Amino acid sequence: QDGSVPPAIPPKPYMAFSEFDYASDDHSALGSSSQTGHVEQLNTLLSMGFSRPQAIHALEMYDYDVNKASNYLIDKAFH
């Protein structure tokens, strides 16, 4: 033993992070890892009173544009 420092553990590769590494207040991140950046948009629509399936459907329809998705859901709610 020469007292040398053991090698540092390499950082996790980017793709190894799970959505739970970035989870918000609960583990409601969307299923696939490519959508983890959209939790905020989903939470915005959920906070407006829409259900999770409604919010996900609308966000997927409008490429995660929360303004278009909310307009769609509001419009649909009144018809």
Side-chain angles (χ1 to χ4, degrees):
Q1 292 216 354
D2 58 2
S4 64
V5 179
I9 298 169
K12 277 203 266 187
Y14 176 73
M15 296 306 288
F17 288 107
S18 78
E19 64 218 359
F20 299 114
D21 289 315
Y22 298 103
S24 56
D25 48 3
D26 58 14
H27 293 286
S28 64
L30 294 174
S32 80
S33 58
S34 66
Q35 295 175 324
T36 55
H38 302 303
V39 173
E40 194 174 321
Q41 288 95 317
L42 177 62
N43 285 339
T44 299
L45 294 179
L46 295 177
S47 73
M48 295 169 76
F50 298 110
S51 72
R52 179 175 297 275
Q54 285 176 317
I56 292 173
H57 174 72
L59 287 168
E60 287 176 345
M61 281 179 61
Y62 292 101
D63 199 31
Y64 291 85
D65 182 319
V66 75
N67 293 322
K68 289 180 182 174
S70 63
N71 287 339
Y72 163 79
L73 289 169
I74 291 165
D75 188 55
K76 200 171 125 181
F78 290 105
H79 288 94

